[in-house]
Amino acid sequence: MMATLFDNPSTRTSVLVGLRDWLASLYKASSEVGRAALVNGALEHLFERPRIRKLFRGWKADPLLAAAFADASLWSKKGGDSTTAAPAGYLAHPSGVTDGMQDWR
């Protein structure tokens, strides 16, 4: 779990910044479906921790990343119940679980 790296006091700041920047580049390079998967599958859960959310606050200065920051922050602000809807084309599994990973690009 990526949050473990953020929670570990021995993890160097450069590693955390590298992960943050990698997530930013991944988000920017993804389709709408991929972006939703990244927000719902990773960022929401990272942002449950105020310390981690603080590391990402620079995203607010970038129009595209600001939307990701706002969407991911909804999860913790609403007590673990995000109202972010999946975009059109988001793939659903027969079990009813959606992940969009098949359409990541």
Side-chain angles (χ1 to χ4, degrees):
M1 183 170 179
M2 193 180 308
T4 304
L5 288 171
F6 286 94
D7 289 339
N8 186 337
S10 67
T11 303
R12 288 183 282 167
T13 303
S14 61
V15 171
L16 301 179
V17 168
L19 284 170
R20 179 201 62 202
D21 294 348
W22 173 72
L23 288 168
S25 64
L26 186 60
Y27 184 87
K28 287 182 173 185
S30 295
S31 68
E32 183 179 349
V33 171
R35 290 175 181 161
L38 188 58
V39 166
N40 296 329
L43 294 175
E44 284 181 336
H45 305 290
L46 288 172
F47 286 11
E48 289 174 343
R49 295 161 173 85
R51 187 173 145 262
I52 296 174
R53 198 168 50 246
K54 184 177 179 182
L55 178 67
F56 285 77
R57 70 178 174 229
W59 283 23
K60 294 178 187 180
D62 179 292
L64 188 57
L65 295 177
F69 185 90
D71 288 346
S73 296
L74 286 175
W75 178 260
S76 60
K77 290 179 180 177
K78 297 199 177 253
D81 184 22
S82 172
T83 58
T84 305
Y90 203 66
L91 302 175
H93 293 281
S95 66
V97 176
T98 59
D99 68 8
M101 294 302 292
Q102 297 89 339
D103 191 31
W104 187 255
R105 288 181 216 106

